[in-house]
Amino acid sequence: MRSKTAESSHAITPIGVVAPPPILVQTPAFEGTLAALFRCVRDRKVDLMEVPLEPICQAYLEYLMDSPETNLDEAAAALTVLAYLLERKAWQLLPSEDIEPEFEEPAALPDPTGYAYSDVIQLLLGGHEERSKLFFRTSGPDPTLYEIPYSVGEVTIGDLARAFENLIRKAEPDEIDVLSKPRKSLVEQMRVVLLCLTKEFRPITALFVGAYTRNDAVYWFLSLLELIRLKQAAVKLEGEEVLFAKK
Amino acid sequence: MTLVDQLEALLFVSEAPAKLNDLARVLNLAEGQIEQGLEILGHRIDGAGAIKLVKIAGGYQLATKSEFSELVGSYMKPQKQRLSRSIMEVLAIVAYKQPITNGEIEVIRGVQSDYGVRVLQERNLICEVGRKQTPGRPILFGTTQQFLHQFNLDGLTQLPQLEVDALPVLSADNGQEELMSTEEATA
């Protein structure tokens, strides 16, 4: 049995409930997050007797101690879940003639997915879908147009990334600049890159004369991408190598 | 110049749904006559071309036909992303229980809802409609015209009736008579 906390990236789940912190539970009977364990126990898919709760409580305390800026909503959600699990287990452990009371889901721990409004939500989503097929007059003389992504043929983002990686690898470390030193604008850099491009396809490193820094590499590459987008430069793949030329 | 032509001209320049009473006022005719004219116009433009007349958000508006959605969609900026289920839930609650406070939404849902309320306000799907005359004078929210427009509804009456028993009871003092205008509340 192992319980540990992981980095939280989303405080609010897609169902709108503040999620408990991602405490990972690993037992022979169950493996997953605390929230998943809660759902499985609630839906009686996991036998809680097979899941020791002490390490989970320990992991929760560690989460509280280790996180200097604990999200109170998350912490409260975890506490609610733990209290629920402990209560359920207590009913199972203690000898009692009483029958375990049925949990009143909507009142105590609401389940948004099974909510009374779910039919309405479906109806609204249907209406929204239908509405998205209708286009109305837009306000103002300048409607916001959608820029159709420019295709670079067989060259993929991965190929471009590889070309950039090669470029960076050959760059020399940057000199320490004075902070207030003005930098060349991208427009100026694009002008330089355009002058260096020829009709003949060449690798990006061939465009440089002499040594260059990482900063130069980033500026050159961004300028090249912008020139490709503006259809002033072309790119193609030859074997594994990405080549650039003037259009 | 026929009434149908006049209506077509007015609807062509209208950027929002044109209300029946506004059209009647401008054309100095009865609402019934306007309705008849709109019906004829609807049939006329529906037969050919790419435009159709739609009844939406309590008014009438010209829109492109659904079969052109892909073409127009590739030209115009894509519409905003769909709302998540939790936000849709907040929206449905506001639509049915308006005017409603954030606290009351949370009572119904059982979870914190201020994020959803904020997103819906930002998208202009719900808005502040007043203040409740209870301690703290919490803000009351209601749905907007934009909500009707975005969800292809002509009015709130188009929403289906819900089983009264299925809806949680908020409190006995939840009622329109307690609605206080925003101006009063901020005064």
Side-chain angles (χ1 to χ4, degrees):
Chain A
M1 162 77 209
R2 204 151 61 92
S3 295
K4 59 180 180 180
T5 55
E7 280 295 307
S8 169
S9 55
H10 299 291
I12 298 188
T13 65
I15 54 170
V17 181
V18 175
I23 295 170
L24 304 174
V25 182
Q26 284 177 310
T27 68
F30 176 83
E31 204 167 306
T33 62
L34 183 58
L37 176 64
F38 162 69
R39 264 181 247 117
C40 289
V41 171
R42 187 190 60 185
D43 301 341
R44 297 173 197 276
K45 288 177 182 165
V46 164
D47 182 9
L48 202 52
M49 293 297 282
E50 303 288 321
V51 183
L53 294 181
E54 191 265 332
I56 304 176
C57 295
Q58 194 63 42
Y60 173 66
L61 289 174
E62 277 172 25
Y63 155 77
L64 287 182
M65 302 301 282
D66 295 347
S67 317
E69 289 175 15
T70 304
N71 181 328
L72 284 180
D73 291 328
E74 273 191 4
L79 200 57
T80 311
V81 168
L82 285 173
Y84 172 76
L85 294 177
L86 287 168
E87 191 189 351
R88 285 290 297 268
K89 193 152 186 177
W91 274 103
Q92 291 175 19
L93 284 169
L94 293 172
S96 169
E97 289 178 3
D98 297 338
I99 302 163
E100 184 184 350
E102 280 296 315
F103 209 73
E104 289 176 13
E105 307 289 357
L109 278 164
D111 180 2
T113 48
Y115 209 68
Y117 290 88
S118 55
D119 290 345
V120 180
I121 293 170
Q122 279 312 313
L123 181 110
L124 288 175
L125 288 173
H128 191 254
E129 184 68 34
E130 220 172 285
R131 162 65 182 79
S132 66
K133 291 179 185 161
L134 301 177
F135 287 85
F136 297 86
R137 261 184 96 80
T138 50
S139 56
D142 179 26
T144 321
L145 298 182
Y146 172 55
E147 186 178 328
I148 297 164
Y150 178 64
S151 167
V152 284
E154 57 179 351
V155 183
T156 63
I157 292 174
D159 296 326
L160 289 170
R162 210 174 47 251
F164 180 61
E165 196 184 350
N166 287 338
L167 189 68
I168 281 282
R169 203 175 290 141
K170 289 175 186 165
E172 290 183 353
D174 286 337
E175 288 170 17
I176 298 168
D177 282 344
V178 181
L179 281 175
S180 58
K181 187 183 167 187
R183 285 186 175 177
K184 197 182 279 182
S185 74
L186 200 60
V187 176
E188 288 167 339
Q189 184 64 50
M190 281 163 66
R191 211 169 288 137
V192 175
V193 175
L194 203 56
L195 286 171
C196 293
L197 286 170
T198 58
K199 288 281 178 193
E200 185 194 340
F201 278 92
R202 291 185 298 162
I204 188 169
T205 44
L207 304 177
F208 287 93
V209 180
Y212 58 89
T213 66
R214 289 182 171 195
N215 228 339
D216 293 333
V218 172
Y219 266 76
W220 272 76
F221 197 74
L222 281 176
S223 304
L224 251 179
L225 290 181
E226 191 61 11
L227 286 169
I228 292 167
R229 192 182 73 85
L230 296 171
K231 298 175 186 172
Q232 293 187 44
V235 58
K236 76 168 186 179
L237 206 57
E238 209 170 86
E240 289 279 290
E241 201 159 30
V242 184
L243 304 174
F244 300 89
K246 188 185 272 184
K247 224 172 182 182
Chain B
M1 202 192 308
T2 65
L3 167 65
V4 179
D5 291 337
Q6 287 174 320
L7 286 170
E8 190 175 12
L10 291 173
L11 290 172
F12 175 74
V13 295
S14 181
E15 285 169 359
K19 307 269 184 229
L20 209 56
N21 56 352
D22 287 333
L23 293 170
R25 185 178 46 79
V26 170
L27 295 166
N28 204 17
L29 289 167
E31 287 186 16
Q33 289 171 293
I34 301 294
E35 220 161 349
Q36 282 178 42
L38 287 167
E39 205 178 319
I40 298 167
L41 175 66
H43 284 302
R44 194 172 84 181
I45 58 175
D46 216 24
I51 308 295
K52 68 173 179 178
L53 180 66
V54 289
K55 197 172 180 207
I56 196 166
Y60 292 84
Q61 207 172 359
L62 294 175
T64 55
K65 286 178 181 167
S66 308
E67 52 263 43
F68 293 90
S69 64
E70 211 173 309
L71 174 74
V72 184
S74 64
Y75 176 68
M76 306 290 288
K77 193 178 177 184
Q79 301 194 6
K80 277 186 178 170
Q81 284 183 337
R82 286 176 66 164
L83 296 165
S84 71
R85 191 171 175 88
S86 65
I87 294 173
M88 285 300 301
E89 205 174 82
V90 176
L91 185 59
I93 291 168
V94 176
Y96 275 89
K97 307 291 276 187
Q98 59 186 306
I100 187 169
T101 66
N102 190 9
E104 289 166 344
I105 296 169
E106 287 178 2
V107 168
I108 294 174
R109 295 187 69 221
V111 288
Q112 209 177 339
S113 300
D114 43 3
Y115 170 75
V117 168
R118 200 176 66 237
V119 169
L120 291 170
Q121 270 187 294
E122 280 168 8
R123 295 212 183 174
N124 195 24
L125 294 172
I126 63 169
C127 67
E128 194 180 319
V129 292
R131 297 256 177 180
K132 196 169 184 180
Q133 279 190 329
T134 51
R137 299 200 297 176
I139 298 168
L140 285 161
F141 294 100
T143 50
T144 60
Q145 284 291 305
Q146 178 74 1
F147 160 71
L148 296 175
H149 207 282
Q150 280 297 305
F151 289 90
N152 209 20
L153 294 166
D154 187 34
L156 288 171
T157 49
Q158 268 191 297
L159 290 171
Q161 287 287 317
L162 283 185
E163 291 281 330
V164 178
D165 294 341
L167 296 178
V169 178
L170 294 178
S171 62
D173 59 357
N174 177 37
Q176 277 279 18
E177 63 280 4
E178 291 204 330
L179 180 66
M180 183 166 59
S181 75
T182 311
E183 291 75 31
E184 275 178 325
T186 49

